[in-house]
């Protein structure tokens, strides 16, 4: 699929079919994650693939945003492994001490997975509307591994439709400056 067609095909799915995601598709999604660029190639991402009934029940106990997805990828980063500035920088008056790119790295990984899933005919939802502590309490994550977002994945239910926000994109003149 042409890239812009792929980007146009994706929409946030919040109601899923019970059909499980095939293992070959999960493997392709994870390979797309593996190929993602990260700052200084540190690859700090840590992905937890939640697909057992137990793991899905656990994530649903921590957030409503997993909806009824048959697969949820908990995207984390080992923050200390990510590239960071060696010294203090000042951005428009705000001091950023040792700015760390872990969240950017995790976002790129998640975006690769979201688009790979779209190409495979799957629906997805990128989720950040959860309480981090609730997720940390629910999962016994390794030391220093911090949740960055969730990616719900599955086949959209027959009645699932894009929300109205999907159709609202600002014109380029509002978000782009050409110099
Ligand atoms: C960083 C990020 C966080 C998001 N968090 C949530 C969330 O917690 N819950 C939710 O229902 N949608 C969430 N979304 C989905 C957005 O609301 C959605 O992408 C946006 O409204 C545009 O709609 P579309 O994805 O259907 O085009 C998130 C999207 C992004 C990129």
């Amino acid at each position: 699929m042409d890239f812009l067609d792929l980007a146009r095909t994706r929409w946030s799915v919040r109601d899923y079919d019970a059909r499980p995601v095939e293992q070959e598709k999960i493997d392709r999604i994870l390979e797309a994650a593996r190929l993602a660029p990260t700052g200084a190639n540190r690859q700090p991402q840590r992905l937890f693939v939640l697909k057992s009934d137990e793991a899905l029940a656990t994530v649903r106990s921590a957030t409503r945003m997993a909806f009824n997805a048959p697969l949820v990828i908990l995207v984390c980063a080992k923050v200390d492994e990510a590239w960071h500035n060696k010294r203090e920088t000042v951005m428009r008056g705000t001091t950023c001490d040792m700015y760390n790119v872990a969240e950017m790295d995790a976002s790129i990984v998640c975006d690769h997975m979201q688009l790979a899933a779209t190409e495979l005919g799957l629906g997805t939802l990128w989720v950040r509307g959860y309480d981090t502590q609730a997720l940390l309490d629910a999962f016994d994550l390794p030391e220093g591994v911090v949740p960055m977002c969730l990616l719900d994945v599955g086949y959209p239910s027959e009645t699932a439709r894009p929300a109205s926000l999907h159709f609202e994109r600002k014109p380029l003149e509002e978000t782009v400056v050409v110099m």
Side-chain angles (χ1 to χ4, degrees):
M1 206 187 301
D2 166 76
F3 181 76
L4 282 184
D5 287 340
L6 182 65
R8 286 192 186 101
T9 301
R10 188 213 55 81
W11 52 279
S12 289
V13 176
R14 297 181 177 87
D15 186 28
Y16 293 87
D17 200 272
R19 184 154 50 122
V21 178
E22 299 85 343
Q23 188 57 48
E24 316 83 78
K25 293 195 175 184
I26 298 176
D27 292 344
R28 277 184 71 94
I29 292 167
L30 295 177
E31 179 62 2
R34 196 179 73 84
L35 296 173
T38 55
N41 202 24
R42 294 281 181 86
Q43 303 168 60
Q45 71 269 20
R46 298 291 185 275
L47 307 177
F48 297 85
V49 179
L50 313 177
K51 61 175 199 164
S52 67
D53 290 344
E54 191 191 347
L56 290 168
T58 303
V59 73
R60 286 189 192 117
S61 73
T63 171
R64 336 181 258 112
M65 294 293 164
F67 292 92
N68 56 351
L71 171 68
V72 178
I73 302 176
L74 168 57
V75 181
C76 300
K78 199 153 193 299
V79 175
D80 286 351
E81 235 175 71
W83 182 84
H84 60 81
N85 278 356
K86 301 293 177 293
R87 45 197 163 75
E88 205 172 73
T89 53
V90 178
M91 283 200 288
R92 309 205 84 181
T94 304
T95 304
C96 294
D97 191 9
M98 310 274 275
Y99 182 79
N100 182 304
V101 300
E103 199 165 356
M104 288 190 197
D105 289 342
S107 295
I108 298 166
V109 166
C110 192
D111 199 42
H112 267 218
M113 293 196 294
Q114 186 167 51
L115 291 170
T118 305
E119 199 237 335
L120 294 167
L122 292 157
T124 58
L125 179 66
W126 189 310
V127 172
R128 189 57 189 83
Y130 55 74
D131 177 41
T132 301
Q133 191 58 52
L135 275 181
L136 287 171
D137 292 344
F139 291 99
D140 188 19
L141 299 177
E143 188 66 27
V145 170
V146 179
M148 295 290 170
C149 59
L150 298 172
L151 187 67
D152 301 349
V153 186
Y155 292 96
S157 76
E158 263 183 34
T159 52
R161 296 286 178 275
S164 57
L165 285 181
H166 173 68
F167 302 99
E168 293 178 25
R169 292 294 191 269
K170 294 176 181 173
L172 284 180
E173 304 78 68
E174 276 188 45
T175 59
V176 177
V177 176
V178 180
M179 296 173 150

